[in-house]
Amino acid sequence: MCHSETGTTQGGVISPLLANIYLHEVMDVWFEREIRPVLGGQSFLTRYADDVVLVLERGKDARRVMEVLPKRFGKFGLKLHPDKTRVVRFIHPSPRQEGGMHVRPTSESFDLLDFTHYWGKSWKGCWVIKRRTAKSRFTRAVKGVHAWCWTHRHLPLVVQHTMLVRKLRGHFNSYGITGNYEALARF
């Protein structure tokens, strides 16, 4: 699997709307027409604005795509984010790995759209892809609420309560997904 975040041009950062339009041709069409037909295994692309995940069945294909991806983006004056572009080994844990109840999969986790994606066990004991709030987003949210409370502590309690309820509701609406209970409870 290849995970990448784009968004920089020679002149600066692209807005998400422009990235969505521009990257349709640069990434989506290119992947479907030129890359996918030459891959040995199954593959698909998922993109939201400038966040891209390429899921490739074979590691050899992932390495080949990672070689040509910077060239493709450079052709359009774009650069891949060096810290966020990488090949991630994200393989479904096989039944042979299950010697006990708490077997850890050998796959890595990755962050996409404010969530960390990782393999975990469902309530029924099956391996599923789980998501939790990414550490950086969680920390930023906690610090933001703390800073707001500190700077607005002089306001009447009713006003503080109303605003904190709004902030909590917004956070829970954004991060309230199945499997993310622990991060929500810590918030």
Side-chain angles (χ1 to χ4, degrees), residues 86-112:
R86 62 189 175 119
V87 174
V88 177
R89 187 171 190 262
F90 198 74
I91 300 170
H92 188 286
S94 71
R96 289 176 296 206
Q97 292 175 337
E98 297 183 29
M101 189 67 174
H102 300 288
V103 174
R104 286 229 175 253
T106 58
S107 296
E108 300 175 51
S109 62
F110 66 95
D111 289 350
L112 176 69

Side-chain angles (χ1 to χ4, degrees), residues 5-145:
E5 249 184 64
T6 60
T8 58
T9 63
Q10 294 169 351
V13 176
I14 297 178
S15 75
L17 179 62
L18 288 175
N20 214 15
I21 295 167
Y22 196 64
L23 287 175
H24 173 70
E25 194 66 35
V26 173
M27 190 71 194
D28 305 347
V29 173
W30 171 74
F31 181 76
E32 287 299 322
R33 286 186 188 159
E34 297 181 34
I35 300 300
R36 198 170 201 195
V38 299
L39 298 175
Q42 294 181 349
S43 64
F44 67 88
L45 177 144
T46 299
R47 185 175 60 77
Y48 183 81
D50 66 342
D51 288 335
V52 179
V53 174
L54 297 171
V55 178
L56 307 168
E57 184 177 13
R58 297 184 178 166
K60 185 170 88 172
D61 289 339
R63 289 185 290 280
R64 285 176 45 208
V65 169
M66 285 299 287
E67 286 177 18
V68 299
L69 206 51
K71 297 171 191 168
R72 173 67 178 177
F73 276 60
K75 182 178 175 181
F76 294 90
L78 298 171
K79 294 186 290 185
L80 298 170
H81 194 291
D83 298 331
K84 298 179 180 178
T85 303
R86 62 189 175 119
V87 174
V88 177
R89 187 171 190 262
F90 198 74
I91 300 170
H92 188 286
S94 71
R96 289 176 296 206
Q97 292 175 337
E98 297 183 29
M101 189 67 174
H102 300 288
V103 174
R104 286 229 175 253
T106 58
S107 296
E108 300 175 51
S109 62
F110 66 95
D111 289 350
L112 176 69
L113 301 177
D114 299 344
F115 291 98
T116 299
H117 296 70
Y118 64 100
W119 285 105
K121 292 271 187 142
S122 71
W123 285 91
K124 293 183 179 181
C126 301
W127 287 107
V128 295
I129 297 173
K130 292 190 167 191
R131 297 172 293 171
R132 66 176 169 260
T133 308
K135 288 180 184 177
S136 61
R137 300 299 180 183
F138 182 82
T139 302
R140 185 170 71 179
V142 170
K143 286 181 178 180
V145 169

Side-chain angles (χ1 to χ4, degrees), residues 144-161 163-164 167:
V145 169
H146 180 268
W148 186 90
C149 289
W150 183 257
T151 58
H152 294 89
R153 65 188 184 276
H154 64 281
L155 295 176
L157 283 178
V158 173
V159 175
Q160 290 182 44
H161 178 266
M163 287 306 295
L164 282 174
K167 290 179 182 301

